[in-house]
Amino acid sequence: MNKTFNFYCDESCHLENDHQPYMLIGYISCSVNQVKLHSKNIRQLKAKHHVFYETKWSGLSKSAYPLYNDLIDYFFATDLQYRAIVIDKSQLKHEEYNQNHDDFYYKMYFQLLSKKLVPEHNYNIYLDIKDTRSAKKVNGLKNFLNNNFISVRNLQNIRSHESELMQLTDIITGALSYHLRGLNTVIAKNKIIEKIQQHSKLPLNHSTPKDHPKFNLFFIDLK
């Protein structure tokens, strides 16, 4: 039987000229029949900590830390999987490869997803709405994937407040971006990064082994 999987994708420092050293694109995935269970469990964790609003990396503070700590523990205790591609923006050479940043963006999504999508399964891919260009980017990405022999049934934008799993992707991707930029001014954020490192048992500044499906990082070399 064909299985269906959902991918909840989020980006950090993805703009070409934002003066940030790294661009990250990451996703959390799970089978579609587990989405309601995970969403319910995450909402219960929020209720336990009296939090009934959207959780994002940017909202992590000392008072919010206990909830975020539980969310990271929950991710590593379940069948949820995370993968991210990390791009050193000092290596960008769009003119040399006759591409613009949108073309590059689609290529990086292809690199992120292509190793995980197999023909015998179905996929729903959701991207967080970032700006007014989000709809155009979704259409361009779907065309790019389908033209490169990846059949994607459903690829659409959603608002992050609509999805607990999208919010969890934002937290993990934000933590990685914060760590790679060498930021350490917020103690609660430092502790969440340490928690992710403890669970993954791997450093967060280079690629993980390919056979690590639970928590997988790919630092791409563009040279």
Side-chain angles (χ1 to χ4, degrees):
M1 289 181 63
N2 285 3
K3 293 183 179 180
T4 301
F5 294 89
N6 282 10
F7 285 63
Y8 299 89
C9 305
D10 194 34
E11 304 141 12
S12 178
C13 305
H14 60 289
L15 301 177
E16 182 178 6
N17 299 308
D18 58 5
H19 308 293
Q20 299 297 338
Y22 294 98
M23 168 180 170
L24 287 86
I25 305 174
Y27 67 72
I28 279 178
S29 65
C30 71
S31 61
V32 71
N33 61 355
Q34 292 289 90
V35 171
K36 286 185 178 180
L37 174 63
H38 288 307
S39 299
K40 176 184 174 183
N41 290 343
I42 290 172
R43 285 193 294 270
Q44 287 177 343
L45 286 177
K46 286 183 174 183
K48 169 187 167 185
H49 293 280
H50 308 289
V51 171
F52 302 97
Y53 47 82
E54 180 179 358
T55 50
K56 302 186 73 168
W57 174 252
S58 60
L60 174 51
S61 62
K62 181 179 179 180
S63 61
Y65 170 76
L67 168 60
Y68 284 63
N69 182 67
D70 281 357
L71 290 173
I72 297 301
D73 282 341
Y74 179 81
F75 167 78
F76 280 99
T78 63
D79 63 333
L80 295 172
Q81 295 185 356
Y82 179 84
R83 187 170 194 258
I85 186 167
V86 183
I87 302 102
D88 180 350
K89 286 198 271 190
S90 70
Q91 297 182 4
L92 294 180
K93 300 175 182 177
H94 292 337
E95 289 186 7
E96 185 175 321
Y97 292 101
N98 193 30
Q99 64 187 10
N100 58 35
H101 195 65
D102 280 349
D103 297 330
F104 176 75
Y105 171 88
Y106 301 146
K107 290 177 181 178
M108 291 303 98
Y109 256 108
F110 180 82
Q111 290 290 335
L112 176 71
L113 297 169
S114 61
K115 304 296 188 294
K116 293 293 182 178
L117 305 188
V118 295
E120 58 266 29
H121 294 155
N122 299 317
Y123 300 92
N124 301 310
I125 301 174
Y126 300 103
L127 275 65
D128 185 14
I129 293 178
K130 295 290 187 186
D131 49 44
T132 56
R133 297 181 64 249
S134 292
K136 179 181 177 182
K137 288 164 67 176
V138 159
N139 290 333
L141 178 58
K142 187 171 184 178
N143 289 336
F144 186 90
L145 292 173
N146 287 337
N147 289 338
N148 284 275
F149 312 108
I150 295 179
S151 180
V152 177
R153 278 192 162 188
N154 182 37
L155 195 157
Q156 68 183 74
N157 286 122
I158 60 172
R159 299 189 183 279
S160 54
H161 72 263
E162 300 171 338
S163 169
E164 307 296 346
L165 293 176
M166 184 70 83
Q167 294 169 43
L168 189 54
T169 306
D170 177 280
I171 292 169
I172 297 177
T173 304
L176 291 170
S177 178
Y178 186 88
H179 177 66
L180 291 172
R181 285 181 285 156
L183 303 176
N184 60 6
T185 55
V186 181
I187 293 174
K189 291 185 174 181
N190 297 339
K191 290 170 70 175
I192 289 298
I193 292 164
E194 290 172 6
K195 169 74 72 170
I196 293 172
Q197 245 171 346
Q198 289 169 4
H199 276 298
S200 67
K201 297 180 174 62
L202 294 165
L204 304 179
N205 58 359
H206 58 73
S207 296
T208 57
K210 293 181 180 179
D211 60 351
H212 280 231
K214 176 66 179 179
F215 186 81
N216 187 279
L217 304 179
F218 176 35
F219 284 68
I220 191 168
D221 187 358
L222 301 177
K223 294 179 178 179

